[in-house]
């Protein structure tokens, strides 16, 4: 549980520092996409659409 709390604190700090970059990095890691402009477009789509979430609905349902 100690590592969990450390990682959670670090992620929250990254989110608070620059949420846009945080989300773009997650998208990059998950998709392998490294194009700066493409990542910015995906972030903009994410922010503009309330139906898009970073976590699949299945995670919330369980």
């Amino acid at each position: 549980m100690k590592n969990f709390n450390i990682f959670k604190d670090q992620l929250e700090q990254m989110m608070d520092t620059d949420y846009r970059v945080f989300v773009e990095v997650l998208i990059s890691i998950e998709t392998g996409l490294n194009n700066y402009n493409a990542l910015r477009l995906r972030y903009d789509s994410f922010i503009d659409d309330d139906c898009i979430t970073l976590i699949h609905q299945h995670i919330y349902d369980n």
Side-chain angles (χ1 to χ4, degrees):
M1 191 68 170
K2 179 180 175 187
N3 283 341
F4 173 86
N5 289 330
I6 291 169
F7 276 59
K8 184 177 178 189
D9 290 344
Q10 290 173 339
L11 288 172
E12 287 175 342
Q13 184 178 16
M14 286 184 254
M15 287 173 59
D16 292 343
T17 299
D18 192 333
Y19 187 69
R20 179 183 200 109
V21 171
F22 175 79
V23 171
E24 290 172 353
V25 168
L26 288 179
I27 294 169
S28 178
I29 289 169
E30 285 295 310
T31 65
L33 184 63
N34 291 310
N35 179 284
Y36 175 78
N37 290 326
L39 288 167
R40 293 189 75 79
L41 287 172
R42 281 158 180 79
Y43 172 84
D44 290 339
S45 293
F46 163 70
I47 283 299
D48 291 341
D49 188 340
D50 290 337
C51 294
I52 298 175
T53 62
L54 289 175
I55 305 296
H56 192 278
Q57 186 62 39
H58 176 78
I59 301 297
Y60 293 109
D61 294 341
N62 287 318

